[in-house]
Amino acid sequence: MNSDKFDRVVLDLLYDELDELTALAARRHMEQSARARDIFAHLKATRRLSVLPILPVPEGFEQSVLVREPGARAEFPLRQRLGRYVSMTASYAMRPQLAMGVLLLLMIGSSLLFLRARPGHHGAIQVTERGVPETEAEIVVPISDAPSEPSPEASSAAAPSALPASAVPPLDGLETPPPAVTSQPAVALAVDPSADSTSSFDDAVRAYRAGHYVQAQRLFDRLGKTGGPRAAEAALYAAQATRQSSGCAAAVSRFQRVRSRYPASGVANEALWRAGKCQQKLGERAAAKQSFETLLHVPAYARDARRSLLELDGKVEEASGPSDHPIGIESEAALDATGDAVFTVK
Amino acid sequence: MEASDRTLMLRYQRGDREAFAQLVRRYQTPLYNYVLHQLGAAAAAEEVARHVFLGVVRESASFKEDDSFSTWLFSLALRACRRERTRALADSSPRVLVPEPRSKGAAPASDVSSEAAERAPPSEPIEDSVVRAVDALPEQEKDVYLLREVAGLGFAQIAAVTELGESVVRVRLFQAFERLRATLQDFEEYRRALR
């Protein structure tokens, strides 16, 4: 510490209002500087001796103030007094509002925690389709990587499969809808029992059969993500399970994704076909037409695609759905590829 | 636990008169003595001190939650003292030092120049010399000295009351001490205090 600094802090040192470090530095400076010691000593002595007498207040002073206090308050102009009362009242009134404001901010803040990061697919939502119900025996095309020409007999009854039906026989019991979803058609998932199906794939199928479409979709999705030889199949079944649980609106995009993800596989055309049927159901004529027109070039789907196009153009009448044509009364030959309608050509 | 000045003042603003009474009891002695040493007359000091407290009543609405009550109170007191000094000068009323000097021959402060006041007669007790010397301080130095030594305010508060900078406050106080030292250095008590 130098002399200038000391001069600036000496009074604070006198009144003991310095922080510890500065006080220590000041005292060290005084040890080294006679001038500093002299200044401080004179200040200290002067202060000690120049104490002014502190006298008590005159008798009755406090009372004389308190007696006059109401008068001093009454001296306010009426307007100022009213203003005081208003401000006092308002200060009380603002307290609950302040509390309410804090509460509102807390509520807004906490509600932000519940905002979803992505409005993802709500698998748990059950959507009931209106309009033409799906048939009970909607058959999924047996899947294999090598599409082939189906036999003419198979085309009338089976799904418009690109693969021989014998390659992947349909699941048992799926022609009859599971009890939990009686109004929905069952889907015959063609599974080759001789194939090397994992237990998880079986679990997924079982779930589907039991009418637990959401669970089935989840299981098939998981299988699709893990890859493997049945990934494409699982993806298609997952999309179908979505159709069952959430309806065509949710399933269309899934079918389209299957097609784009596995373009070279056997599921691509089936996915496109199902997407087209969904689009038809949803009234998306242009999109459905495009899907069916693409399938005109696929021999296995050509006939049904033509039918669907005619239907879109209104040249054929779409007959009622499976509820009017329960399986057993009408032969399966009367059911179209997806089991959706029986065509009556005008 | 005693309520703080701020709490009492805020309570008074909401109509609690007992809070005001507590403030009066807390500050009546330092305020009275501050005014007394400013004006040098007991009767005037009592009247002005009472007026300052009633000023607190009248201006209570202007007290903000962030304000320091002691700073605000002594600001009112300083303004009241200046008005009273101006009025007293206009009236040319004689001033009497308090306490009364013990030596009979001591002249009234109003008749004594500041230079003469610094040279205390040897027979005068040191206390009287101090009173006289403080009374003779220039206005700014006296304001600062009394706010520090009688009202007990800190440098920042004194700066707020007097509307001077803190460094100026320190300089004024140092100068006041130097003037008082000049008065006291001839006393034996002073020499003893230096040792």
Side-chain angles (χ1 to χ4, degrees):
Chain A
M1 182 175 282
N2 56 25
S3 296
D4 285 339
K5 179 77 191 279
F6 178 80
D7 290 347
R8 282 198 294 272
V9 304
V10 66
L11 282 173
D12 296 80
L13 183 65
L14 181 69
Y15 287 100
D16 204 17
E17 289 176 357
L18 278 180
D19 60 278
E20 216 173 298
L21 285 175
T22 312
L24 194 59
R27 290 187 196 286
R28 274 208 211 108
H29 179 74
M30 281 198 294
E31 284 169 14
Q32 294 157 4
S33 165
R35 171 186 171 274
R37 280 198 301 274
D38 189 56
I39 289 173
F40 188 73
H42 280 287
L43 281 172
K44 203 170 165 184
T46 305
R47 188 183 173 216
R48 191 193 302 176
L49 293 175
S50 64
V51 176
L52 290 169
I54 299 297
L55 303 179
V57 293
E59 190 75 30
F61 175 80
E62 181 184 332
Q63 274 310 308
S64 67
V65 171
L66 295 178
V67 158
R68 288 172 172 77
E69 183 261 345
R73 274 193 291 128
E75 284 174 20
F76 291 161
L78 178 64
R79 198 175 164 187
Q80 195 175 351
R81 265 184 286 161
L82 284 175
R84 284 191 71 192
Y85 294 138
V86 168
S87 70
M88 280 196 300
T89 310
S91 70
Y92 277 106
M94 283 308 294
R95 287 187 191 115
Q97 283 180 346
L98 188 64
M100 284 163 60
V102 169
L103 192 60
L104 179 67
L105 284 174
L106 275 173
M107 284 168 60
I108 292 171
S110 62
S111 66
L112 290 174
L113 293 172
F114 296 103
L115 284 178
R116 292 169 68 94
R118 278 184 290 176
H121 171 63
H122 297 284
I125 296 173
Q126 300 286 335
V127 177
T128 303
E129 281 190 29
R130 296 187 182 276
V132 178
E134 296 176 13
T135 57
E136 292 178 3
E138 184 174 298
I139 303 168
V140 174
V141 175
I143 304 298
S144 81
D145 288 338
S148 57
E149 196 78 20
S151 61
E153 305 83 53
S155 65
S156 62
S161 58
L163 304 164
S166 60
V168 188
L171 286 173
D172 297 331
L174 281 181
E175 291 78 8
T176 307
V181 198
T182 52
S183 61
Q184 297 295 325
V187 172
L189 291 176
V191 176
D192 183 6
S194 65
D196 185 21
S197 54
T198 60
S199 61
S200 52
F201 200 98
D202 293 341
D203 292 340
V205 169
R206 267 194 291 277
Y208 188 96
R209 284 179 179 175
H212 304 308
Y213 299 120
V214 173
Q215 184 189 1
Q217 176 216 310
R218 221 177 281 138
L219 290 170
F220 282 125
D221 275 338
R222 206 179 298 159
L223 285 165
K225 278 178 194 162
T226 53
R230 306 193 76 173
E233 205 179 331
L236 181 64
Y237 296 163
Q240 184 59 34
T242 302
R243 186 183 178 185
Q244 293 294 79
S245 64
S246 307
C248 271
V252 166
S253 57
R254 293 203 69 151
F255 284 126
Q256 287 170 335
R257 267 202 303 275
V258 170
R259 178 176 168 79
S260 62
R261 206 172 284 168
Y262 308 101
S265 69
V267 306
N269 291 324
E270 181 61 24
L272 181 61
W273 168 254
R274 292 185 178 276
K277 294 310 288 183
C278 267
Q279 285 156 347
Q280 184 180 7
K281 272 195 186 336
L282 293 170
E284 295 169 9
R285 291 187 70 251
K289 200 170 176 182
Q290 191 179 3
S291 300
F292 296 138
E293 280 172 353
T294 306
L295 289 170
L296 286 175
H297 307 291
V298 181
Y301 292 86
R303 190 175 79 96
D304 295 289
R306 267 192 295 276
R307 279 183 189 177
S308 298
L309 284 168
L310 289 172
E311 190 180 323
L312 281 172
D313 290 338
K315 291 176 183 168
V316 295
E317 188 179 303
E318 189 171 341
S320 51
S323 59
D324 293 331
H325 301 279
I327 294 172
I329 298 176
E330 296 279 348
S331 71
E332 288 195 4
L335 297 172
D336 76 343
T338 60
D340 279 352
V342 173
F343 293 102
T344 307
V345 178
K346 288 182 183 172
Chain B
M1 193 172 155
E2 274 192 354
S4 67
D5 296 342
R6 190 174 288 132
T7 304
L8 291 173
M9 194 59 208
L10 294 174
R11 276 197 217 154
Y12 179 61
Q13 283 180 329
R14 294 196 288 272
D16 183 356
R17 294 181 63 199
E18 177 54 32
F20 177 69
Q22 284 189 49
L23 285 170
V24 171
R25 281 193 286 272
R26 198 177 281 183
Y27 280 96
Q28 59 185 349
T29 302
L31 179 66
Y32 172 73
N33 280 275
Y34 171 78
V35 175
L36 178 64
H37 290 294
Q38 279 279 15
L39 302 179
E46 184 181 351
E47 186 57 37
V48 170
R50 189 182 301 119
H51 182 78
V52 169
F53 276 122
L54 296 178
V56 168
V57 173
R58 281 189 285 270
E59 297 188 33
S60 59
S62 66
F63 181 81
K64 301 289 181 294
E65 205 169 324
D66 296 337
D67 293 343
S68 158
F69 178 77
S70 55
T71 305
W72 186 56
L73 178 71
F74 283 98
S75 295
L76 296 174
L78 181 61
R79 288 205 298 267
C81 289
R82 285 176 179 167
R83 279 197 300 270
E84 179 60 23
R85 275 204 292 261
T86 307
R87 192 193 65 77
L89 277 173
D91 291 350
S92 299
S93 24
R95 294 168 61 214
V96 179
L97 277 176
V98 179
E100 294 292 336
R102 289 178 198 171
S103 56
K104 300 294 180 189
S110 58
D111 294 334
V112 178
S113 68
S114 58
E115 196 178 325
E118 288 175 7
R119 296 197 300 273
S123 59
E124 185 179 56
I126 191 168
E127 294 82 5
D128 295 345
S129 293
V130 167
V131 171
R132 203 186 298 279
V134 169
D135 191 53
L137 287 173
E139 186 177 324
Q140 273 195 357
E141 292 176 20
K142 188 176 176 182
D143 289 342
V144 169
Y145 179 83
L146 291 176
L147 286 170
R148 182 77 236 201
E149 289 291 320
V150 176
L153 300 187
F155 290 116
Q157 289 177 291
I158 295 171
V161 170
T162 57
E163 296 177 353
L164 299 169
E166 269 193 58
S167 55
V168 176
V169 167
R170 288 185 174 83
V171 167
R172 294 287 176 265
L173 184 62
F174 187 85
Q175 288 168 344
F177 276 125
E178 286 294 287
R179 289 183 198 275
L180 292 174
R181 172 187 161 186
T183 302
L184 297 172
Q185 63 187 358
D186 293 333
F187 285 87
E188 181 57 33
E189 291 93 329
Y190 189 83
R191 283 193 281 273
R192 278 203 298 270
L194 276 180
R195 291 188 210 121

